């Protein structure tokens, strides 16, 4: 029996040991422990996929709502929240500065008692509070701005990759208006970030917009804190191109839900009013939804993502527009968005506003009939990994030709004869993920068509989507193949 048929038979026979008896789509605790230390996961190829999926809550909205609720007057209730590594890092950091956060429903409901608008202390502590922010870009950028406005002494540290991700433009924006000091101490103006602050002293600041929209989002959320203390509107001006404008619009919408006033034009944002506690529902993650829409487009199936609609705060719903241009059919209603049929045409597309889905579209592009050119995403090199260079490397590992450009890349499809030539007996290809959750989830989609692809470090998806592999498994209808990690010597 060929290897993959053996794997199917073995895994199907053992399925009851890897599924929760109460839900056929939830792995058992024992299975979760095995997966947490697995070195690779192999997605067995499938025909057209059909189904309905609801991803977990949006990471981007959850971390914004957490920070704002933590700074509000009163007690807020957040529902639909994401429980993941990134949100856990934010929760623990907020708790470490005195915020009370109570969890229920497996972390999907959060009750947050805010710090309110107490004035910044003029007396700084002898020792700074150390906050561990792992590799969470939202956490380090949002907290850097907020803590500088609140006041106090802090050190924000992360994993090695975090200490390679630039934050200098945010630091430079805060330095002219801080009563105290703020600096990034790694080469290239990267974390750790050291803050000694008695709050903000000015009401106008400038920030560069070309590296990350999270700098502006962090300053906007912090501006409400500063405004409530100075009784003055805070104006933030943006220098140069603003990447990912849709995420800034999201920030403004969440702020308004908690009572802040935000007005904006193309280059300036004005913020006033203190945050007030609110009951706030967090919608499912549109970035996570892109993997399932792409699965339909790659396999020629039909998949509905429930409770994500064009009215979403998240710009990544625009991913379906790209699939439609590539030939898939897209249908929307009040319950969600459905993608049906193969995406067969290559496109030339600016993905600046949906840059978190570039890796996903690259997988779709591998199986199209003509090349796909992605533009406007130069800032993707500064994410969890270099999401241009490393993505190109992994696509080439599959045999594709990929051209890198300053602002993106061109993906040439795999030749039909090369796809057909791969079989259950083909040598395995190990796909590296660079500890990047989006790299792992995107590369898994290639495994829907190509046998014997091993996705390395599958547990990294816990950063934003801990149950991704289970949800994909439920959609394909058969278990994945997990390779145990080598024992530690």
């Amino acid at each position: 029996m060929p290897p993959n048929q053996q794997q199917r038979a073995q895994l199907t026979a053992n399925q009851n040991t890897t599924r929760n008896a109460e839900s056929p789509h939830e792995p058992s605790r024992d299975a979760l422990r095995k997966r947490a230390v697995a070195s690779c996961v192999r997605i067995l190829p499938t025909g057209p996929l059909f189904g309905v999926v609801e991803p977990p809550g949006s990471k981007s909205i959850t971390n914004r709502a957490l920070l704002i609720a933590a700074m509000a007057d009163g007690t807020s209730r957040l529902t639909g929240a994401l429980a993941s590594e990134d949100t856990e890092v934010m929760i623990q950091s907020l708790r470490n500065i005195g915020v009370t956060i109570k969890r229920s429903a497996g972390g999907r409901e959060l009750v947050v008692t805010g710090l309110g608008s107490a004035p910044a202390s003029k007396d700084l502590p002898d020792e700074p509070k150390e906050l561990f922010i792992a590799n969470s870009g939202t956490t380090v950028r949002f907290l850097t701005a907020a803590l500088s406005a609140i006041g106090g002494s802090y050190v924000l540290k992360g994993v090695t990759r975090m200490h390679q991700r630039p934050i200098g433009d945010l630091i430079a924006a805060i330095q002219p208006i801080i009563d105290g000091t703020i600096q990034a101490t790694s080469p290239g103006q990267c974390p750790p970030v050291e803050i000694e602050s008695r709050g903000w002293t000015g009401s106008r600041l400038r920030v560069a917009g070309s590296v990350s929209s999270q700098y502006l989002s962090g300053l906007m959320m912090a501006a409400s804190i500063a405004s409530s203390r100075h009784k003055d509107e805070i104006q933030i001006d943006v220098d140069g191109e603003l990447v990912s404008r849709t995420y800034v619009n999201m920030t403004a919408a969440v702020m308004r839900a908690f009572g802040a006033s935000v007005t904006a034009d193309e280059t300036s944002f004005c913020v006033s009013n203190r945050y007030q506690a609110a009951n706030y529902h967090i919608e499912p993650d549109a970035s996570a939804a892109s993997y399932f829409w792409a699965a339909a487009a790659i396999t020629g199936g039909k998949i509905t993502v429930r409770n994500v609609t064009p009215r979403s705060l998240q710009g990544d719903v625009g991913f379906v527009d790209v699939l439609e241009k590539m030939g898939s059919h897209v249908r929307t209603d009040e319950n969600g968005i459905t993608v049906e049929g193969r995406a067969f045409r290559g496109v030339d597309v600016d993905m600046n506003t949906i840059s978190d889905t570039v890796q996903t579209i690259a997988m779709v592009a591998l199986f199209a009939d003509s090349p796909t050119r992605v533009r406007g995403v130069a800032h993707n090199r500064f994410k969890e990994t270099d999401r241009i260079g490393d993505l190109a490397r992994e696509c080439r590992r599959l045999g594709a030709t990929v051209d890198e450009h300053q602002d993106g890349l061109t993906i040439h499809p795999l030749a039909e004869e090369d796809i057909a030539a791969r079989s259950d007996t083909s040598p395995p290809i190990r796909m590296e993920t660079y500890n990047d959750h989006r790299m792992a989830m995107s590369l898994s989609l290639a495994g829907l068509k190509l046998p014997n692809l091993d996705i390395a470090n599958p547990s990294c998806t816990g950063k934003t989507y801990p149950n991704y592999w289970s949800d994909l498994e439920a959609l394909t209808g058969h278990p994945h193949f997990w390779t145990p990690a080598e024992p530690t010597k």
Side-chain angles (χ1 to χ4, degrees), residues 187-459:
Q189 288 286 286
C190 298
V193 177
E194 297 179 354
I195 302 170
E196 289 194 356
S197 174
R198 298 177 182 83
W200 288 5
T201 59
S203 59
R204 188 165 185 174
L205 59 159
R206 308 188 68 87
V207 64
S210 61
V211 174
S212 175
S213 64
Q214 290 175 4
Y215 299 159
L216 175 57
S217 287
L219 292 171
M220 289 167 61
M221 289 185 284
S224 176
I225 303 166
S227 172
S228 66
R229 290 173 175 172
H230 295 298
K231 312 299 181 185
D232 194 11
E233 182 178 75
I234 305 293
Q235 179 172 329
I236 307 167
D237 300 316
V238 180
D239 288 332
E241 175 193 18
L242 175 58
V243 298
S244 304
R245 175 69 183 246
T246 53
Y247 282 94
V248 176
N249 296 340
M250 174 198 297
T251 302
V254 180
M255 291 173 64
R256 291 179 184 122
F258 286 81
S261 171
V262 184
T263 59
D265 58 27
E266 287 301 311
T267 59
S268 294
F269 296 78
C270 295
V271 177
S272 60
N273 295 355
R274 70 175 60 176
Y275 296 123
Q276 302 296 326
N279 293 331
Y280 188 81
H281 182 71
I282 295 158
E283 62 192 42
D285 195 299
S287 304
S290 74
Y291 307 117
F292 301 105
W293 288 322
I298 290 170
T299 66
K302 179 181 178 181
I303 297 175
T304 298
V305 176
R306 192 167 48 202
N307 293 326
V308 178
T309 73
R311 300 187 302 276
S312 168
L313 295 180
Q314 303 166 78
D316 280 354
V317 294
F319 179 78
V320 297
D321 299 331
V322 182
L323 294 181
E324 192 166 44
K325 291 177 182 177
M326 296 180 78
S328 294
H329 301 288
V330 177
R331 188 182 75 252
T332 66
D333 58 32
E334 67 276 10
N335 297 315
I337 300 177
T338 300
V339 170
E340 181 177 9
R342 180 170 164 258
F344 57 88
R345 286 190 295 266
V347 292
D348 190 322
V349 59
D350 188 321
M351 298 185 71
N352 182 279
T353 60
I354 56 171
S355 58
D356 275 349
T357 65
V358 169
Q359 291 143 297
T360 322
I361 208 65
M363 297 303 107
V364 180
L366 288 174
F367 303 101
D369 297 338
S370 55
T372 291
R373 170 72 158 96
V374 175
R375 303 178 185 272
V377 294
H379 59 288
N380 268 23
R381 292 193 185 275
F382 305 104
K383 301 276 188 171
E384 282 82 343
T385 190
D386 177 352
R387 289 182 177 172
I388 295 176
D390 293 336
L391 174 61
R393 182 179 298 110
E394 296 312 305
C395 290
R396 292 175 187 132
R397 204 186 299 275
L398 294 172
T401 298
V402 181
D403 306 319
E404 289 188 53
H405 311 291
Q406 182 179 5
D407 72 333
L409 66 171
T410 298
I411 304 104
H412 299 265
L414 294 168
E416 289 187 13
E417 57 268 26
D418 291 340
I419 297 173
R422 285 200 62 81
S423 70
D424 289 352
T425 58
S426 298
I429 301 176
R430 179 185 171 96
M431 308 299 294
E432 298 299 334
T433 55
Y434 310 90
N435 204 34
D436 182 349
H437 56 129
R438 300 213 182 280
M439 190 71 80
M441 291 184 278
S442 296
L443 291 174
S444 71
L445 301 175
L448 298 174
K449 295 284 284 185
L450 301 175
N452 289 4
L453 298 189
D454 292 335
I455 313 301
N457 188 21
S459 63

